[in-house]
């Protein structure tokens, strides 16, 4: 090849490579996650385990929530059904089991599996990041029904890694609200934090009719909604001072504490919506709270 042709070919090739590099850079910038954009956080009222069966307005609403958000890189779920004493634990195994932690339900309930993988490296990162209180890595638990009955419909392909974080039941609402703030870094990493419980949950007053609703349950559900909208989280933390309807709605705080995690993860820029609501079986609020 003559020198002039060689130089021309070299210049054209270099220009083509430079153009390709610029295109590649532009595409990477377009597709790169927004550093200021946080993954949403969600409190979900999971209600009766049987809501996993078939299609109903609740599991269809959960599915719609999942379709409205970016696909998570991982999920951390705080369920009302994993209570620990004096410690906070986090599943750290590669393949968590599905736990059927209930009794007296149809046989098909015990056949459900949610074989999503765990993510041990993320579990270690969380444990190393949150020092006070310490987060203990657990290899025994799995996905209880507060987690899998919801995720089964939200992410039916079970292809997103899932971790469960326990609730230290020896601590109060303020503790869980403060701990949630230490999970904020997960939202920056594309991790979807879901807390699963019920704002109103009094099984002692249950009515075995789905459409039944106590006045006090409706009252406290509405009170909670109004306080959340106003950003008055302090009153919700001190729920014992909210009167008779609160005391009837929260005879024990196991299902209420998960709400503290969603509220603790809210930033000033976040909007709050309620994609699901309603009271079922007299004394269970199905209200969900989306932070995004």
């Amino acid at each position: 090849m003559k020198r002039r042709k060689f130089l021309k070919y070299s210049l054209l090739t270099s220009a083509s490579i430079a153009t390709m590099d610029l295109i590649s850079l532009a595409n990477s910038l377009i597709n790169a996650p927004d550093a200021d954009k946080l993954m949403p956080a969600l409190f979900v009222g999971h209600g009766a385990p049987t809501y996993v069966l078939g299609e109903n307005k609740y599991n269809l609403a959960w599915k719609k929530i999942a379709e409205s958000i970016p696909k998570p890189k991982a999920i951390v779920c705080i369920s009302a059904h994993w209570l620990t004493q004096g410690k906070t634990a986090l599943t750290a195994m590669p393949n968590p089991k599905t736990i059927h932690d209930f009794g007296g339900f149809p046989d098909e309930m015990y056949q459900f599996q949610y074989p999503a993988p765990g993510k041990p490296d993320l579990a270690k990162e969380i444990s190393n990041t949150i020092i006070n209180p310490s987060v203990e890595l657990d290899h025994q638990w799995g996905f209880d029904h507060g987690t899998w009955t919801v995720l089964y419909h939200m992410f039916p392909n079970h292809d997103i890694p899932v971790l469960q974080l326990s609730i230290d039941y020896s601590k109060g609402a303020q503790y869980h609200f403060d701990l949630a703030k230490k999970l904020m870094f997960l939202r920056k990493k594309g991790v979807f934090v879901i807390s699963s419980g019920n704002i109103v949950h009094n099984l002692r007053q249950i009515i075995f009719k789905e459409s039944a609703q106590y006045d006090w349950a409706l009252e406290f559900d509405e009170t909670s909604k109004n306080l959340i909208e106003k950003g008055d989280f302090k009153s919700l933390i001190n729920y014992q001072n909210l009167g008779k309807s609160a005391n009837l709605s929260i005879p024990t705080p196991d299902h209420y504490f998960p709400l503290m995690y969603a509220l603790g993860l809210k930033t000033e820029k976040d909007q709050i919506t309620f994609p699901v609501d309603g009271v079922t079986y007299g004394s269970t609020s199905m209200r969900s709270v989306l932070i995004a």
Side-chain angles (χ1 to χ4, degrees):
M1 183 182 296
K2 293 183 178 180
R3 179 177 176 80
R4 182 176 295 178
K5 289 185 178 181
F6 175 78
L7 288 173
K8 182 178 180 182
Y9 174 79
S10 298
L11 289 171
L12 288 172
T13 302
S14 298
S16 297
I17 292 173
T19 301
M20 291 174 64
D21 286 344
L22 286 172
I23 293 172
S24 177
L25 176 60
N27 286 335
S28 68
L29 289 173
I30 291 170
N31 296 320
D34 186 343
D36 296 327
K37 186 69 173 177
L38 299 177
M39 192 69 188
L42 174 70
F43 167 78
V44 60
H46 64 249
T50 48
Y51 283 131
V52 74
L53 298 173
E55 288 188 349
N56 52 72
K57 67 177 182 179
Y58 300 115
N59 63 41
L60 289 174
W62 300 337
K63 180 180 179 181
K64 188 174 181 179
I65 294 169
E67 292 172 347
S68 72
I69 66 171
K71 184 176 181 178
K73 294 180 179 178
I75 297 167
V76 171
C77 188
I78 301 99
S79 165
H81 294 280
W82 189 17
L83 306 177
T84 48
Q85 289 289 337
K87 68 177 182 180
T88 298
L90 180 68
T91 56
M93 66 287 282
N95 296 292
K97 61 186 176 183
T98 302
I99 304 171
H100 302 92
D101 51 333
F102 40 67
F105 289 100
D107 289 343
E108 61 185 309
M109 290 291 298
Y110 304 91
Q111 307 307 315
F112 274 92
Q113 297 293 318
Y114 192 75
K119 195 169 179 60
D121 57 337
L122 178 60
K124 290 178 183 178
E125 181 181 355
I126 294 171
S127 181
N128 291 335
T129 301
I130 303 176
I131 306 300
N132 185 23
S134 62
V135 176
E136 178 180 309
L137 298 182
D138 176 89
H139 295 85
Q140 302 299 320
W141 195 249
F143 305 146
D144 59 54
H145 80 267
T147 292
W148 66 261
T149 60
V150 175
L151 296 186
Y152 185 87
H153 289 279
M154 291 189 77
F155 303 102
N157 294 328
H158 40 74
D159 58 343
I160 301 171
V162 180
L163 284 68
Q164 258 203 242
L165 185 74
S166 77
I167 293 173
D168 184 348
Y169 205 42
S170 68
K171 307 297 185 182
Q174 184 71 59
Y175 173 91
H176 298 292
F177 181 83
D178 293 340
L179 177 55
K181 293 187 176 301
K182 297 181 181 182
L183 299 173
M184 186 66 72
F185 77 99
L186 294 173
R187 293 187 64 193
K188 298 176 182 178
K189 293 171 63 69
V191 177
F192 190 26
V193 180
I194 303 177
S195 50
S196 175
N198 298 100
I199 292 175
V200 177
H201 186 263
N202 188 338
L203 295 184
R204 300 170 192 167
Q205 300 289 334
I206 191 171
I207 300 173
F208 289 99
K209 180 181 178 182
E210 185 179 15
S211 62
Q213 298 173 325
Y214 286 113
D215 289 343
W216 52 263
L218 291 169
E219 178 185 335
F220 185 68
D221 180 63
E222 186 66 19
T223 295
S224 300
K225 175 180 181 288
N226 292 337
L227 290 171
I228 291 170
E229 287 179 324
K230 290 191 294 186
D232 185 0
F233 299 163
K234 185 176 181 180
S235 291
L236 290 163
I237 291 169
N238 298 302
Y239 63 91
Q240 301 94 331
N241 301 326
L242 291 176
K244 183 178 179 180
S245 66
N247 293 329
L248 284 168
S249 298
I250 314 171
T252 58
D254 46 300
H255 278 66
Y256 185 76
F257 282 162
L259 175 65
M260 298 297 104
Y261 286 85
L263 301 184
L265 282 166
K266 183 186 180 299
T267 69
E268 291 184 359
K269 294 182 179 180
D270 284 318
Q271 300 296 314
I272 296 177
T273 56
F274 304 97
V276 189
D277 61 14
V279 171
T280 63
Y281 297 104
S283 56
T284 302
S285 167
M286 297 299 294
R287 183 173 301 281
S288 293
V289 183
L290 181 63
I291 309 292

